[in-house]
Amino acid sequence: MSGLRDSLDLIRMVRPEAGTAAIDHEIQAERASSLSAAERRVIKAIAGLESGNDRETWLAEARQAVWAYFVQRELIGFRRHTEVIRDLRIPPDVLNGLGAMPARAR
């Protein structure tokens, strides 16, 4: 019977929230990694846009990258994008076309 009593004491000592701490940490790490990858895509697209080569392709890429980045930020809880627009130097022509999908060829 002492084995059962020891098991019950052990169960009482373990806090259920302690078991989820490791998982929560992993989720936060994945969110940070995903957000970082989305930001790198924005930086690459804006650099391509600023190069002046193939402007329409880079503009479409930048719009898609910024839109995905903003969605990712909002999923994490960041609702204001003013600072990243300034810090990443996102041009107005990119912002004006966010969410727009190119027409499909028929």
Side-chain angles (χ1 to χ4, degrees), residues 13-64:
M13 288 175 19
V14 175
R15 294 173 293 146
E17 65 274 3
T20 62
I23 293 171
D24 290 340
H25 182 358
E26 288 293 322
I27 290 170
Q28 293 299 331
E30 284 297 319
R31 286 178 176 168
S33 175
S34 179
L35 188 62
S36 179
E39 184 175 308
R40 284 191 305 272
R41 184 174 170 214
V42 168
I43 291 168
K44 178 182 175 186
I46 290 174
L49 185 61
E50 290 173 347
S51 74
N53 299 329
D54 201 9
R55 178 169 170 68
E56 289 305 312
T57 301
W58 281 114
L59 183 59
E61 174 65 24
R63 286 175 174 166
Q64 178 62 31

